[in-house]
């Protein structure tokens, strides 16, 4: 064998030994590889942060759902209470007309009427009372304004009446009755208020 060939064979043998030594060193438990493995505590901290983030998102979603449920319940309750608002407002004119019909016949004039006409007027009064009670079943109630302190949320002042015997700003005359539906004003009472009396 020539010297060149011996050298090549010896170099190959050394290279193989070096590769084997490197492979056995990597196979040992404390050997470091080129790929860095994450620290166990760092990985645990990351998992805790992710759990906290997901828990926060879950709690926020639950709170949003609870708020949505409450809003929906309130909207349903309002729809039940105030769903007839427009219809009730239109029916107030009918109630006003019934009251005007009854008021157009003073009590003294009724005394001299025939029985049939007197019965007719009583029928109109009964119809008015029945109609107002039916409105009340749907939450529509008359505002008792006479003698009350003027409240701009429930009353609409049309004029002032000079009267020193009652406190200033008291409802002295009701021109058109007002009504509420639930907690809201359906129609304000149109009133005349006193002026000149002591301030309340």
């Amino acid at each position: 064998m020539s010297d060149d060939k011996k050298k090549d064979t010896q170099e190959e043998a050394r290279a193989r030994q070096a590769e084997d030594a490197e492979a056995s060193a990597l196979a040992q438990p404390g050997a470091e590889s080129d790929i860095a493995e994450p620290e166990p505590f760092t990985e645990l901290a990351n998992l805790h942060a992710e759990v906290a983030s997901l828990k926060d998102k879950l709690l926020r979603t639950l709170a949003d759902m609870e708020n949505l449920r409450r809003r929906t319940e309130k909207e349903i309750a309002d729809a039940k209470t105030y769903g007839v608002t427009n219809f009730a407002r239109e029916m107030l004119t009918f109630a006003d007309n019934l009251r005007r019909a009854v008021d157009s016949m003073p009590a003294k004039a009724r005394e001299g009427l025939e029985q049939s006409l007197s019965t007719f007027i009583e029928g109109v009064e009964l119809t008015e009372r029945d109609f107002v009670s039916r409105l009340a079943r749907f939450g529509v109630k008359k505002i008792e304004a006479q003698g009350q302190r003027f409240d701009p949320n429930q009353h609409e002042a049309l004029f002032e009446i000079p009267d020193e015997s009652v406190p200033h700003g008291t409802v002295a005359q009701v021109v058109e009755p007002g009504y509420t539906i639930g907690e809201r004003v359906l129609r304000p009472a149109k009133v005349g208020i006193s002026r000149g009396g002591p301030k309340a």
Side-chain angles (χ1 to χ4, degrees), residues 52-105:
S53 172
L54 291 172
K55 185 177 180 182
D56 181 56
K57 287 178 183 176
L58 175 66
L59 291 175
R60 287 177 189 272
T61 303
L62 289 174
D64 287 344
M65 293 305 292
E66 182 63 20
N67 290 339
L68 178 63
R69 185 187 63 78
R70 286 185 187 146
R71 272 196 311 271
T72 304
E73 284 177 357
K74 185 176 183 329
E75 287 172 4
I76 290 170
D78 284 352
K80 286 179 182 176
T81 303
Y82 304 112
V84 296
T85 299
N86 289 334
F87 177 74
R89 190 175 289 120
E90 291 297 321
M91 290 297 100
L92 294 182
T93 305
F94 179 68
D96 293 340
N97 289 336
L98 285 173
R99 174 57 19 204
R100 286 186 195 108
V102 171
D103 290 344
S104 67
M105 186 66 67

Side-chain angles (χ1 to χ4, degrees), residues 178-198:
Y179 291 87
T180 59
I181 182 166
E183 299 296 318
R184 300 178 186 171
V185 174
L186 185 60
R187 181 180 78 186
K190 294 182 178 170
V191 299
I193 58 172
S194 65
R195 179 182 49 140

Side-chain angles (χ1 to χ4, degrees), residues 122-185:
E122 287 173 9
V124 173
E125 287 177 332
L126 181 64
T127 303
E128 184 213 10
R129 281 195 303 271
D130 181 57
F131 182 70
V132 170
S133 71
R134 288 177 190 276
L135 285 176
R137 284 187 213 153
F138 291 95
V140 179
K141 294 179 184 166
K142 196 174 195 177
I143 298 173
E144 297 300 328
Q146 187 69 39
Q148 300 294 317
R149 179 110 178 102
F150 176 74
D151 180 0
N153 297 318
Q154 293 190 339
H155 308 138
E156 181 182 335
L158 299 179
F159 52 87
E160 291 184 328
I161 300 171
D163 188 351
E164 295 181 8
S165 64
V166 293
H168 180 79
T170 302
V171 175
Q173 182 182 349
V174 177
V175 177
E176 183 178 76
Y179 291 87
T180 59
I181 182 166
E183 299 296 318
R184 300 178 186 171
V185 174

Side-chain angles (χ1 to χ4, degrees), residues 112-128:
L113 293 177
E114 300 178 10
Q115 180 64 30
S116 61
L117 198 51
S118 179
T119 305
F120 175 75
I121 293 171
E122 287 173 9
V124 173
E125 287 177 332
L126 181 64
T127 303
E128 184 213 10

Side-chain angles (χ1 to χ4, degrees), residues 2 19 70 83:
S2 69
E19 286 175 8
R70 286 185 187 146

